[in-house]
Amino acid sequence: KLKSMVRAITLFYFILIFKLNGQIINEKTIGDSIKTNLLLNNSIDLLNKRNYDLAQIYADSAKSMLILSDMKESLQYANVLHQIARIKSAVNQYTESIEINKEALKIRTKILGANDVEVAKSLNNLGNALNFTGKYLEALETHKQALNIRINYFGEDHIETVPSYINIGNSYSYM
């Protein structure tokens, strides 16, 4: 009985999340979402441990599962793209990282709006990749956008604004 109740609560929770993201609800979609989150979390953990090849495999698997579930316009898909872009940057594949970051940014902006903190994270990663490809002015503008979002959300002196200040400084120093 307890197992059924936990399953019902979990199902209800995911229905709420997917309705917010405009997804079609069914048990397969929910099951795929759970599996995708597990793959994504493993990829994040492996990236933090600098196991780039395996992190890429897990992230690619999560991406494939979302594509097969027709969830390419979901926030979850944007999060997987964000992770793949982070991996590409970690292995110095900045041009690929830029394109993937732009795709994740587009989806996040569409779903969350232009002033969301997750959009600032995408802008931050995009700006860093742009710096490494020598596009310093574009990187600077991207980092300024991220800073403005973070200031509006957290306030000027909050610790969450620090990465943007550092990245703006880096952009200036690379010029």
Side-chain angles (χ1 to χ4, degrees), residues 20-134:
L20 288 174
N21 286 330
Q23 299 299 315
I24 297 170
I25 307 303
N26 61 46
E27 279 202 41
K28 182 186 179 330
T29 303
I30 292 167
D32 289 349
S33 177
I34 293 168
K35 291 174 195 170
T36 301
N37 278 335
L38 291 172
L39 290 167
L40 179 58
N41 288 337
N42 283 331
S43 177
I44 291 167
D45 185 50
L46 289 163
L47 177 61
N48 291 337
K49 293 177 180 175
R50 294 188 165 97
N51 188 338
Y52 305 123
D53 292 336
L54 201 49
Q56 185 70 55
I57 290 168
Y58 276 91
D60 286 342
S61 297
K63 180 182 176 186
S64 295
M65 187 171 287
L66 290 168
I67 290 169
L68 289 172
S69 297
D70 197 29
M71 294 177 62
K72 282 184 70 173
E73 296 297 318
S74 69
L75 187 55
Q76 193 172 18
Y77 188 74
N79 293 342
V80 169
L81 291 177
H82 182 83
Q83 173 66 4
I84 292 171
R86 288 180 63 221
I87 296 166
K88 295 296 184 188
S89 286
V91 295
N92 303 324
Q93 295 175 0
Y94 300 111
T95 303
E96 288 180 50
S97 178
I98 288 168
E99 294 311 311
I100 297 166
N101 269 309
K102 285 180 179 180
E103 188 177 353
L105 176 62
K106 180 181 170 187
I107 295 168
R108 283 179 166 174
T109 302
K110 181 179 176 183
I111 294 171
L112 301 170
N115 295 315
D116 191 87
V117 176
E118 293 299 312
V119 171
K121 289 178 185 178
S122 288
L123 289 166
N124 176 66
N125 286 358
L126 176 58
N128 287 339
L130 288 165
N131 267 335
F132 284 113
T133 57

Side-chain angles (χ1 to χ4, degrees), residues 114-117 120 144-158 161 165:
N115 295 315
D116 191 87
V117 176
K144 285 180 179 180
Q145 283 180 275
L147 176 62
N148 287 332
I149 292 169
R150 287 178 167 147
I151 287 173
N152 288 334
Y153 192 83
F154 296 110
E156 198 168 276
D157 296 327
H158 194 277
T161 62
Y165 286 117

